[in-house]
Structure formats: structure tokens, C-alpha cells
Amino acid sequence: PVAMEVFAGRLYGLDTGANEIWEFDSVDGVFNQRPGRYFVDVAYDLSDLLDFAIAQGDVFLLHGDGRLTSCTRGGADESARCADLTFSDGRQGRSDGPRIDGAVPFRLIYDPPPEPSLYFVDTLAYGVYQDSLKLVFQRQFRPLRPFPAPVTAVAVGPNKTLYLAAGDNIYFADR
């Protein structure tokens, strides 16, 4: 898998080579069962995906070109319905569209309520964009000086602190 998520007692693994998101059910906290397929009866091309996140049951798929697709289904045995999404950025000089204007995201993170958000790590500015679940721009986090190496990982702590790994260092930003 190129990415994994845990949601509602299940482990999900993005397998771009098999063109699938695998679901592993937990039995007493152990994921030792054979996986099921997230896309039960429809095949989607997942070969260009970089990352995914699960937010309140919806699966968000980050494509290599910066597009975002949302997939929803009623239950584990139901077909997933997927749709490409549009980003909304009300800042002056920015435009709405299928990609974040001026960014090339390569990682996606969901942060739950009280302020549910999607975070996109940008390869161009080594920054992080925070959008609402409806993809409305909220804020951007960028370092005052460029990092000495590309950002390779990001996490949001329980106190809403944003952590970024770049080279041999870990940086943080308070929200």
C-alpha cells in the first residue's frame, strides 16, 4: 500500500498497483482477516493517486495532478459513488477550480471536529493548506524561511499543532 487509514474499526490500504482500496475488519483490535474491496462493483483508475483520507465516512482521493475526488457509499456492501471536487479560494488573485491555485499537493490529512478540515501539503512552497470539508480555503501555513530539505511527512497533533518533517528535522506550527 502507498497509504493507510483507520476508520470505524477498519484499516484501509490504498494499493495503486492493484487499483484498489482494501478494507481490513478488526477482530478484538487485530486486523487478521482477508481484506475486502472498497470498490465493490465498479473499477476506478487509482494509478495516479498519491494519498487518501477518510473524513466522516467519505473517502477523499488525492490525484498526482492535484485534483481531489470524493467517494461515498451507504454501507460496506454498497457501490461507491465518486465525484471530482472543486476548490474554493476567496483570496484576492486566486481562482476556484479543480486544483488548489498555485499549489501542488502531495499529502492529504483529515483533522476531525471541532473544526473538521482537510490539510494539503504543498511541494512548491513547503507549506500546508487548510480547507474545510467543502474545500473552502481556511488558511495556509508556510515557513518564514525555506526548509533545508523537502517536506516528507505531516501530522496534526491532538492540540491542533501542525508537525512537518523535512530532512532530519521536525518543525511545528501552532494553529
Side-chain angles (χ1 to χ4, degrees), residues 18-90:
N19 209 42
E20 187 59 71
I21 295 177
W22 300 105
E23 296 178 321
F24 296 84
D25 285 321
S26 171
V27 177
D28 296 325
V30 178
F31 300 102
N32 60 2
Q33 306 297 310
R34 292 184 58 86
R37 296 174 54 221
Y38 178 80
F39 298 105
V40 178
D41 60 356
V42 177
Y44 289 96
D45 182 10
L46 307 180
S47 62
D48 73 330
L49 293 185
L50 299 176
D51 206 356
F52 80 112
I54 302 174
Q56 301 174 350
D58 294 336
V59 175
F60 291 89
L61 307 171
L62 179 61
H63 297 267
D65 64 359
R67 289 179 300 113
L68 193 68
T69 300
S70 174
C71 299
T72 305
R73 64 182 190 181
D77 296 333
E78 294 186 24
S79 296
R81 295 180 318 275
C82 299
D84 289 334
L85 301 175
T86 300
F87 290 91
S88 178
D89 191 338

Side-chain angles (χ1 to χ4, degrees), residues 143-168:
L144 294 175
R145 292 180 305 278
F147 292 137
V151 173
T152 55
V154 65
V156 179
N159 59 354
K160 302 298 183 183
T161 299
L162 189 64
Y163 297 94
L164 293 107
D168 293 334

Side-chain angles (χ1 to χ4, degrees), residues 63-145:
H63 297 267
D65 64 359
R67 289 179 300 113
L68 193 68
T69 300
S70 174
C71 299
T72 305
R73 64 182 190 181
D77 296 333
E78 294 186 24
S79 296
R81 295 180 318 275
C82 299
D84 289 334
L85 301 175
T86 300
F87 290 91
S88 178
D89 191 338
R91 295 177 295 167
Q92 188 167 350
R94 302 294 176 137
S95 61
D96 298 348
R99 293 169 191 79
I100 297 174
D101 191 14
V104 180
F106 73 98
R107 288 285 179 263
L108 170 63
I109 295 174
Y110 167 66
D111 186 35
E115 186 183 356
S117 301
L118 291 172
Y119 290 88
F120 300 88
V121 182
D122 177 20
T123 59
L124 293 179
Y126 298 133
V128 177
Y129 286 83
Q130 178 188 0
D131 282 26
S132 71
L133 291 184
K134 297 204 180 285
L135 297 186
V136 176
F137 174 82
Q138 301 299 305
R139 63 183 62 94
Q140 181 183 18
F141 301 90
R142 288 192 331 190
L144 294 175
R145 292 180 305 278

